[in-house]
Amino acid sequence: MIFFFVMPFSIGGLSNLLIPLCFSLADMCLPRINNLSFWMLVFSFCLTLISSSIYLGASSGWTLYPPYSSYPGSPSLSTDFIIFSLHLAGASSILSSINFIVTVFILPINNSFSFFQYPLFIVAQLTVSFLLLISLPVLAAAITMLLFDRNFSTYFFSNVNGGDALLYQHLFWFFGHPEVYVLILPAFAVI
């Protein structure tokens, strides 16, 4: 629900509609990256649906904590599909964030008002974009290490073999805490 409804609606939908309107622009600065971001999100949703239909879905919960999502705990391919889906959804959000930052800082240079006169919605979207650019690569690294633990016999999160299961939780919540602000700031700015 977070990756496929709240973020696309509040970040993608509202920003793609309101940022050009606030600056009297025809479109976002990078429309092809915007299109790529949309289609990556569609394919990510398809991978999530495929994951749900294989072996009754991922049996590790929505956080994918390693003891449950590692190979003995969740041996089906559905966990791999959900990890790939999260990679695509994260890459989609990163591309959207880059597009918003470039649009806000590059296109309205000829306007007569300064950065401190921007509407609150624009400032909130910039904050959200920077938060996503900081936190999503950490989530991508964590789920990539989890994918390597599952498929390539690495031991990043296996306590028995010298890894640290809490490392995943720290990396996940480095993403999870800013995600709360990513979800709520656009709504506060609209209100």
Side-chain angles (χ1 to χ4, degrees), residues 36-58:
L36 177 66
S37 172
F38 171 76
W39 285 109
M40 287 174 80
L41 191 67
V42 169
F43 290 133
S44 174
F45 183 68
C46 290
L47 279 175
T48 301
L49 291 179
I50 291 170
S51 169
S52 298
S53 64
I54 296 175
Y55 298 108
L56 300 175

Side-chain angles (χ1 to χ4, degrees), residues 48-72:
T48 301
L49 291 179
I50 291 170
S51 169
S52 298
S53 64
I54 296 175
Y55 298 108
L56 300 175
S59 59
S60 57
W62 72 276
T63 56
L64 296 172
Y65 284 153
Y68 305 115
S69 61
S70 60
Y71 184 69

Side-chain angles (χ1 to χ4, degrees), residues 6-17 34 96 100 125:
V6 177
M7 285 180 60
F9 176 73
S10 68
I11 298 168
L14 285 177
S15 295
N16 282 321
L17 176 70
N34 210 6
S96 293
F100 299 150
Q125 288 299 346

Side-chain angles (χ1 to χ4, degrees), residues 11 16 38 43 55 77-78 81 113 159 171 176:
I11 298 168
N16 282 321
F38 171 76
F43 290 133
Y55 298 108
L77 285 175
S78 61
F81 278 114
F113 57 95
N159 287 336
L171 293 174

Side-chain angles (χ1 to χ4, degrees), residues 29-180:
C29 186
L30 306 168
R32 290 185 180 167
I33 287 182
N34 210 6
N35 191 17
L36 177 66
S37 172
F38 171 76
W39 285 109
M40 287 174 80
L41 191 67
V42 169
F43 290 133
S44 174
F45 183 68
C46 290
L47 279 175
T48 301
L49 291 179
I50 291 170
S51 169
S52 298
S53 64
I54 296 175
Y55 298 108
L56 300 175
S59 59
S60 57
W62 72 276
T63 56
L64 296 172
Y65 284 153
Y68 305 115
S69 61
S70 60
Y71 184 69
S74 180
S76 70
L77 285 175
S78 61
T79 306
D80 293 330
F81 278 114
I82 205 75
I83 289 172
F84 286 131
S85 172
L86 286 174
H87 271 295
L88 280 176
S92 170
S93 295
I94 287 173
L95 289 176
S96 293
S97 297
I98 291 170
N99 192 10
F100 299 150
I101 291 170
V102 168
T103 300
V104 169
F105 283 129
I106 301 297
L107 283 184
I109 290 203
N110 295 331
N111 285 345
S112 60
F113 57 95
S114 71
F115 177 76
F116 297 105
Q117 295 173 335
Y118 283 176
L120 183 61
F121 180 77
I122 302 297
V123 175
Q125 288 299 346
L126 278 176
T127 306
V128 164
S129 296
F130 281 118
L131 282 174
L132 284 174
L133 284 179
I134 292 168
S135 65
L136 276 172
V138 176
L139 177 68
I143 60 178
T144 300
M145 289 189 288
L146 184 61
L147 195 63
F148 279 21
D149 277 1
R150 288 181 50 80
N151 296 312
F152 300 119
S153 298
T154 59
Y155 301 112
F156 293 111
F157 305 125
S158 175
N159 287 336
V160 176
N161 297 317
D164 186 11
L166 285 178
L167 174 63
Y168 180 83
Q169 292 180 11
H170 291 303
L171 293 174
F172 179 81
W173 287 109
F174 186 87
F175 157 77
H177 185 72
E179 183 67 18
V180 173

